[in-house]
Every structure is written in C-alpha cells, then in structure tokens.
Amino acid sequence: NGDGIVKQDPKVNENGHLMPEEVVKRTASSIRLKTMLLGNSAKGGAALKLRYAFLTQRGYYPDDVHKANQDSYSITNKFAGEDGDSLFVVYDGHGKDGDVCAKYAQKKLPQAIAKYVRQKRAILYRKQLQSEGKSLKGAFNPAMWPILDEHTYEDACHEAHVEVNKMMHDDKNVPDSLSGTTAISACFHFGRLTVCNVGDSRAVIGHRVPNADNVESSVPNNDDYEEEKVEEGEESEPKKNVSKKSGSLLAIPLSRDQTPFRKDERERIKAEGGIVQSVDQMEGDEPIQENWGDMVSGEDIDIKGDPPRVWKEGKDYPGTAFTRSLGDSVGDDIGVYAEPEMLTADLTENDEILVIASDGVFEFMTNQAVIDICSQCDNPLEACQRVVKAAYD
C-alpha cells in the first residue's frame, strides 16, 4: 500500500474458506453482554428490560481479499438526552467507497434523529405552556418535555434521514456518487419501538405464539432492576436465556426490503425515469421481462444470484439491487432516495427477540432461521456469534 507495507493474504483451507484464526481477525463484537432499562414508567412510558450484544465480521472476497468491512453499527443509550430511550442502527455500505459512506452515516444519522426529536419535544412543550396560559420562561426544560406520539416521532426520523442524505451528497470528503449505505434502525422512545428502514437490511422480531395449554409466562420484574444512570450495565457472566413460556417463536418482519423485487418499488422507480433489469437482461443474455418470480422477502432466498437492478436509461449505472439508500447520488433523479419506510409498535411480553442485521445475514438465511438460532442460545452475544457463523458457512 502507500505506506510500503505489504499486506499478507488471509489463510484459507482446501475449500477456499477462511481458516478459523482468520475469521477471528475479521470479527469485532461485544466483550460482555449489555443490559439496560428501556422506557420511563415515571413519565408514563413502558419499562422494558433489554439485554443486547453486537457482532460484525468483515466479509471475504477472493477477488479482493483486503476489502474493507463496509458494515457498521451504532448504539446510543440515553438517546436525545432521555433516560430509557435508545437507538440501535446497522449500516451496510456498498460501492467502492461504501465503508466511507457507512461511517459517515454512523456518525451523522444518530445526531440528526436526536436533533429533530429534541426540537419537536421542545416545540410541543412550548405549545402546551401557551395553551395553558403559562409563562414561556424556562420553556427549554428537557425534564418537562412531553412524549412524542408515533406520527411526530416518525416525522423526526424522516427529516433526519433526508437531511443526512443531502449532507452526504454535499460533503466533498464522501465520494457517494456510486457508493452509499443502507440504514436499519430500532428507536426506543418511552418503551415504544419505531423501526426505520432505508435499503435492504432488515429488522425481525421473535414473537412467542402460545400453545393452547399455555402456562403462565415468567416476565422479568422491573421493580427488581436498578436503572443505570450513566449509560448501560455490563453483565460479568452471560446469563442463560431460560424461559418458562410455552409455545413457539414466530419470526415477524418489522421492515420490508426495498428492492426491485417489490412491484410497488419497481413501479416507483420507473415513474421517476429509471430502468429495472437484471445484469443478464442488460447484456442481452436474457429477454426483457418483469417476471421476477414469487420470492417473498424474508421467507425465500435468491438462489439465482442475478436480481433486478436499477439503471439510468441508456447507461450501465448505477446498477443498484436496492431502491433506497443513503448516498448513491447519481440515482437521486431516478428515485433511489433516502426516505425511510417506518413502523411503530408497542412491544408485549411475548416479543422476546429483536434482530437487526444487514444482508450479510439475510441474503443467506430466512427470518425464521435466524430467530430459530437465537431461540436456542443462552444470551444475545452467543446468538450474534451463531447467526453470523451460520450466514458465513
């Protein structure tokens, strides 16, 4: 490289797979299991105990063995200054400078969402004081700001994604013309969950469906849990994920992949002037048609490997296999934009597992397969390790 240091190629076995020690070098994860309390029951929000972990593994590409890890993540507790609020985001970069785009989004998106959430809460409190005929002196008092309803919170998230996309385009240090990143986020506001999705990363929840002879479930007693005042707690030893609940865990998607496989997204792109074709169709090896089969995102795996892509008319770019992203500025005028699709829900005691991951996992595994692996694990860190290993194998 430019420093005169010669990088050694990773060691692989006779099947071309990375040796175990090479996999370890490419992996970054939680050292210990994290625990925190979501929500604030004193202010009327739900109180939920959450145990979580993260793991990312740099991919292996035989034709580019030193390719940077283009996946990133961010975890922000006490989000937007509110105890019990948290933001979890996974970013999956793509293109030559996808790692740069993912890191940019990792830094800017949480800041932008927090800014708009705080602004809207402050405005709401100011209007509340005015309607009550009270003085506006001291209106900037975050401790008194009300909870945002789901529509206002989603508005804040929408504005933040659009703003960060424009900032990325305008930043000369981020070459995003043919590079960008997905962003899938789980935002907790007073115990309520809002999922925002741009691209083809995914959020899936494991919801327990009770048997007919369901026994009484065991729910953690939040009164016995001491809330962390600074950031989050760490468990020195992972606790076993023991449940007395009967029934099975059903994988429920909280997001929809934004790809040309979806007819609504395909039609939106075409209405903006874009072309949707596979690589084989572009090169004349396949007839032009839109019969992409009956593949259901999350339930089926694309084994053909030549998905429909987005192109500019008469051009061989951008060729994205997704219809929305942060970055990819050349696709802006044909509908490849950063407006997120969002879903807001109140969690129940039967919502036991939440997974947010890039297509490095979901390209190779169905939603149910991921939840099934997680359900067999003693803790979230083990679940991360086993899911990533299964996707790589």
Side-chain angles (χ1 to χ4, degrees):
N1 59 23
D3 298 325
I5 299 175
V6 178
K7 293 183 178 180
Q8 293 187 349
D9 290 350
K11 299 175 183 177
V12 298
N13 60 23
E14 62 275 10
N15 297 319
H17 292 167
L18 290 172
M19 298 295 285
E21 60 270 25
E22 297 291 346
V23 173
V24 171
K25 292 178 184 178
R26 290 167 172 257
T27 301
S29 70
S30 308
I31 298 175
R32 290 194 175 104
L33 199 60
K34 306 285 187 176
T35 306
M36 67 169 301
L37 190 67
L38 294 172
N40 190 327
S41 56
K43 292 186 179 181
L48 305 169
K49 185 177 180 180
L50 177 71
R51 301 163 69 214
Y52 67 93
F54 64 85
L55 186 144
T56 179
Q57 179 179 313
R58 181 160 62 98
Y60 174 63
Y61 303 87
D63 57 345
D64 188 4
V65 296
H66 300 298
K67 184 177 181 179
N69 186 0
Q70 294 189 314
D71 286 3
S72 241
Y73 67 91
S74 60
I75 300 171
T76 313
N77 293 316
K78 199 175 181 180
F79 182 63
E82 183 62 49
D83 288 330
D85 278 16
S86 286
L87 175 69
F88 299 81
V89 194
V90 167
Y91 315 86
D92 180 11
H94 50 261
K96 179 177 177 292
D97 297 292
D99 56 321
V100 178
C101 296
K103 289 176 181 176
Y104 184 89
Q106 177 192 46
K107 178 180 179 181
K108 300 295 186 179
L109 187 59
Q111 294 175 354
I113 297 176
K115 178 184 74 174
Y116 283 109
V117 167
R118 289 172 62 86
Q119 282 182 0
K120 291 183 183 301
R121 292 185 70 195
I123 291 171
L124 193 59
Y125 183 55
R126 185 182 182 89
K127 289 180 178 178
Q128 180 180 311
L129 291 177
Q130 289 175 325
S131 67
E132 295 172 353
K134 295 181 180 179
S135 170
L136 296 181
K137 184 178 180 180
F140 191 83
N141 183 359
M144 300 299 294
W145 290 349
I147 302 172
L148 295 182
D149 62 38
E150 64 178 83
H151 300 295
T152 308
Y153 197 92
E154 288 182 359
D155 285 345
C157 293
H158 180 275
E159 292 174 48
H161 282 77
V162 172
E163 178 179 274
V164 171
N165 191 48
K166 184 178 185 307
M167 290 167 59
M168 189 180 293
H169 294 345
D170 295 341
D171 194 318
K172 304 303 181 184
N173 296 314
V174 184
D176 77 334
S177 61
L178 288 170
S179 298
T181 183
T182 71
I184 181 77
S185 58
C187 317
F188 290 94
H189 182 53
F190 288 85
R192 189 184 63 223
L193 170 64
T194 296
V195 172
C196 304
N197 182 43
V198 173
D200 58 0
S201 294
R202 197 176 298 169
V204 180
I205 204 159
H207 179 83
R208 187 165 295 280
V209 179
N211 291 333
D213 57 346
N214 184 32
V215 296
E216 184 177 352
S217 62
S218 63
V219 183
N221 182 357
N222 290 323
D223 293 336
D224 296 335
Y225 180 76
E226 183 177 352
E227 184 175 0
E228 300 294 339
K229 298 301 182 184
V230 181
E231 190 175 60
E232 72 237 51
E234 292 187 351
E235 297 184 9
S236 57
E237 295 294 333
K239 297 179 181 179
K240 291 190 176 295
N241 189 25
V242 179
S243 175
K244 296 180 182 178
K245 297 179 180 179
S246 66
S248 58
L249 279 173
L250 175 66
I252 300 177
L254 301 181
S255 63
R256 298 177 67 200
D257 295 2
Q258 295 151 355
T259 75
F261 277 115
R262 280 174 50 180
K263 183 177 180 180
D264 60 336
E265 285 292 278
R266 195 162 64 239
E267 294 302 321
R268 183 180 63 79
I269 291 294
K270 291 193 298 182
E272 295 285 345
I275 302 295
V276 177
Q277 295 178 3
S278 68
V279 171
D280 282 350
Q281 289 175 335
M282 281 285 292
E283 295 178 346
D285 296 330
E286 293 282 347
I288 304 300
Q289 52 80 28
E290 289 195 4
N291 181 20
W292 306 113
D294 299 320
M295 193 183 84
V296 179
S297 173
E299 297 180 15
D300 302 313
I301 302 297
D302 178 20
I303 59 176
K304 184 179 178 182
D306 186 25
R309 295 176 179 271
V310 178
W311 313 87
K312 284 200 169 188
E313 187 171 10
K315 306 293 183 182
D316 61 354
Y317 58 84
T320 60
F322 43 82
T323 53
R324 306 189 193 201
S325 74
L326 292 164
D328 296 289
S329 59
V330 298
D332 265 4
D333 60 355
I334 54 171
V336 182
Y337 55 38
E339 294 190 15
E341 291 182 309
M342 293 170 285
L343 180 148
T344 297
D346 292 313
L347 299 180
T348 72
E349 63 186 41
N350 287 336
D351 297 318
E352 298 184 15
I353 297 170
L354 174 63
V355 177
I356 58 174
S358 72
D359 67 353
V361 168
F362 289 113
E363 183 178 348
F364 307 102
M365 302 176 68
T366 65
N367 295 347
Q368 191 62 54
V370 171
I371 293 299
D372 287 346
I373 289 176
C374 293
S375 68
Q376 298 164 10
C377 298
D378 289 336
N379 59 77
L381 183 54
E382 181 190 353
C384 287
Q385 294 165 342
R386 289 185 57 183
V387 166
V388 170
K389 183 178 186 302
Y392 175 71
D393 290 345

